[in-house]
Amino acid sequence: MKGRALVVEDDPALRRSLQIGLEDLEFEVQSVSGGVEALAALQRADFDVVLTDLNMPGMNGLALCERVAEARADIPVVVITAFGSLETAVAAIRAGAYDFVTKPIELDALSLVLARAVQHRKLRAELKRLRSLVSEDAHELIGESPAIASVRERLARMAVTDSTVLITGESGTGKEVAAHALHRLSKRARGPFIAVNCAAVPETLIESELFGHEKGAFTDARGARAGLLAQAEGGTLFLDELGELPLAAQAKLLRALQERVVRPLGGTRELPFDARILAATNRDLERAVEEGQFREDLFFRIHVLPLELPPLRARGADVLLLAQHFVRELARRGDKAVTGFGQATAERLLDYPWPGNVRELMNCVEHAVALARFEQITPEDLPTRVRSYKRSHVLVASDNPDELVKLEEVERRYILRVLEASNGNKRLAARILGLDRKTLYRKLERYGVS
């Protein structure tokens, strides 16, 4: 069945003809003679698409479009209009119609339009479901900032495909959490999720880990073992820190991904596998390609759907939402009566740049919950580096490498300091910084500053 269609047509002969024709094209069809009957039918049952004539007595097609758009915006409406009546068609689209067809009606063309409308509805429903699931489970993706909302949107759309995803972002931004979410929301959710940190496996063992080995393939190979690509059959293989993969293993991984087969070490047969590949790195792979440290052909094979996770400093008040989430979780686990943090503590959390991102924030909250003496976390409960951080310090005058920051962070602090000194006057701040206003706005957006 292609979908459930509600046909609204006042001409009995045409109504009957449309119903028979669409049923022959594998639609489940209910037909009514007017707009009032159509609204009643929509209250009684669910439909994937509404097909309505425009010129009908009583409630015409335009009025029906508007009523359906108000009451059931999830159901697309396709209208039938006279040939050449472009103004009427435009009016229908403005009234909320998904598409239109012209008389005389060709059933094959109508079938294509209705099938697209049904698919449009299903995709919208699926995206809505996926967005809600992403928001519920992935704590690193909690937030209301435009930066993380964009990530959730892209993640939800990527989940319905089977293409390779390259997840990038600074350390601690939640790349593995995003990979788990992609797997859980995909059609492979019932299959295994296999993760490997390419940087943690010795170079001499990485090929055996990925592709498996036969008995006797090397000194300690006392038995045959399936590789991770085979173990992820029907599910997802997550290659974390992909940029650390040795060049020799990169060549073999490229061939495996292109041919969808693996040859275990010491084996003579190539074995097919079916696993979705997700990869992550905090390295600039394009620069690694230029420097000869990463294969260009593998980069393009992996870089099909890019997903960049924003640093925590670019997410504004999301810091407080995440911190509150961690407080609840850690207090429950530690059986402590800690419920949140006061304004002074919140200001410290917002001022700090979080070079370690969400991972560092979670560590900070765990430290604070463990030491908290009251229901509300105080600044004294925070780690020293967070409690004593001064956002007015543009440069760190220190010989301690742990206190030195990235050049990007120096720029961020200086821009914010100039903006503060300019009393929020962006035009003046841009002039002081020697930037045009568009460049300043772009940088502020990246830093999560409104």
Side-chain angles (χ1 to χ4, degrees):
M1 185 183 72
K2 292 183 178 178
R4 300 194 69 213
L6 176 63
V7 174
V8 190
E9 172 57 63
D10 63 312
D11 184 326
L14 181 55
R15 184 170 68 246
R16 180 63 178 158
S17 174
L18 286 171
Q19 178 159 354
I20 293 173
L22 291 175
E23 286 174 346
D24 288 343
L25 291 169
E26 300 181 3
F27 284 91
E28 182 182 332
V29 183
Q30 180 179 337
S31 59
V32 294
S33 60
V36 174
E37 294 91 335
L39 293 175
L42 289 170
Q43 288 183 334
R44 292 192 302 268
D46 190 38
F47 293 91
D48 295 309
V49 62
V50 174
L51 175 66
T52 179
D53 197 356
L54 277 182
N55 298 315
M56 299 183 295
M59 183 185 297
N60 64 21
L62 287 179
L64 178 60
C65 281
E66 292 172 349
R67 293 288 297 275
V68 174
E70 291 172 1
R72 292 298 306 272
D74 60 308
I75 302 179
V77 179
V78 175
V79 299
I80 304 170
T81 183
F83 177 75
S85 181
L86 182 59
E87 290 182 3
T88 308
V90 171
I93 299 297
R94 287 176 176 169
Y98 169 77
D99 206 343
F100 65 92
V101 292
T102 57
K103 296 178 181 178
I105 298 171
E106 295 183 7
L107 275 177
D108 288 341
L110 176 61
S111 175
L112 288 174
V113 172
L114 294 182
R116 282 200 305 268
V118 170
Q119 183 65 15
H120 174 76
R121 187 195 184 211
K122 289 179 178 177
L123 284 176
R124 285 185 62 182
E126 180 68 2
L127 285 175
K128 184 177 180 181
R129 182 185 72 85
L130 294 178
R131 288 189 198 105
S132 66
L133 289 174
V134 171
S135 299
E136 288 170 7
D137 278 0
H139 60 67
E140 276 83 351
L141 303 179
I142 287 174
E144 298 175 356
S145 66
I148 204 64
S150 175
V151 168
R152 284 200 297 265
E153 173 73 21
R154 286 182 60 78
L155 193 150
R157 283 188 285 148
M158 291 174 177
V160 299
T161 78
D162 216 20
S163 299
T164 303
V165 178
L166 178 62
I167 307 169
T168 57
E170 296 178 6
S171 179
T173 50
K175 295 186 287 293
E176 185 165 356
V177 169
H180 272 286
L182 281 167
H183 171 72
R184 185 178 55 80
L185 301 173
S186 74
K187 62 185 179 182
R188 297 176 175 272
R190 295 188 178 182
F193 178 88
I194 305 294
V196 57
N197 186 330
C198 298
V201 181
E203 186 172 346
T204 54
L205 296 179
I206 190 67
E207 290 183 27
S208 172
E209 281 290 303
L210 290 176
F211 312 121
H213 62 256
E214 299 292 345
K215 181 179 180 181
F218 48 87
T219 304
D220 294 326
R222 297 183 177 86
R225 179 180 179 276
L228 297 177
L229 284 162
Q231 291 178 37
E233 181 72 20
T236 302
L237 176 63
F238 175 51
L239 301 170
D240 198 7
E241 301 295 348
L242 178 69
E244 308 307 317
L245 198 65
L247 283 168
Q250 289 179 30
K252 294 187 177 181
L253 176 61
L254 173 65
R255 185 176 184 279
L257 298 183
Q258 287 176 331
E259 306 297 331
R260 308 302 291 182
V261 294
V262 293
R263 176 180 290 182
L265 291 180
T268 57
R269 292 184 303 118
E270 291 185 327
L271 308 174
F273 70 91
D274 174 30
R276 185 185 190 183
I277 306 299
L278 307 178
T281 182
N282 57 15
R283 289 187 63 186
D284 184 342
L285 286 190
E286 292 187 74
R287 178 177 293 179
V289 168
E290 292 174 1
E291 296 172 351
Q293 298 175 357
F294 198 85
R295 292 182 63 103
E296 184 178 39
D297 43 11
L298 179 59
F299 172 75
F300 287 118
R301 172 63 60 178
I302 293 289
H303 193 260
V304 178
L305 296 176
L307 179 66
E308 183 176 3
L309 299 185
L312 188 54
R313 62 182 173 275
R315 294 173 55 181
D318 284 355
V319 171
L320 301 183
L321 294 175
L322 281 162
Q324 185 61 50
H325 171 80
F326 292 141
V327 166
R328 285 196 301 267
E329 288 295 307
L330 294 166
R332 179 181 57 81
R333 271 190 247 160
D335 194 26
K336 293 203 66 172
V338 180
T339 59
F341 38 82
Q343 182 176 343
T345 308
E347 289 174 359
R348 297 289 202 289
L349 297 177
L350 288 172
D351 282 348
Y352 188 69
W354 302 107
N357 294 294
V358 179
R359 187 182 296 128
E360 183 184 10
L361 175 62
M362 186 174 183
N363 175 278
C364 166
V365 175
E366 185 172 5
H367 176 282
V369 169
L371 297 182
R373 297 157 295 168
F374 312 106
E375 286 190 359
Q376 297 280 302
I377 291 173
T378 67
E380 288 69 32
D381 299 325
L382 298 174
T384 304
R385 67 182 183 281
V386 179
R387 181 177 69 247
S388 60
Y389 176 78
K390 304 293 185 183
R391 66 189 173 104
S392 59
H393 288 178
V394 175
L395 297 174
V396 178
S398 173
D399 294 325
N400 183 351
D402 292 336
E403 295 180 4
L404 298 175
V405 297
K406 295 180 180 179
L407 184 61
E408 181 186 26
E409 175 59 18
V410 174
E411 179 190 72
R412 185 189 77 89
R413 295 187 198 177
Y414 185 62
I415 288 176
L416 295 181
R417 182 69 187 92
V418 170
L419 195 62
E420 182 181 37
S422 306
N423 293 320
N425 186 325
K426 294 187 178 72
R427 184 191 299 271
L428 175 59
R431 192 163 71 246
I432 293 171
L433 292 164
L435 302 173
D436 60 74
R437 276 185 295 163
K438 287 184 178 179
T439 301
L440 176 59
Y441 292 154
R442 192 165 58 247
K443 289 179 179 292
L444 291 175
E445 183 179 359
R446 189 168 79 239
Y447 299 145
V449 179
S450 61

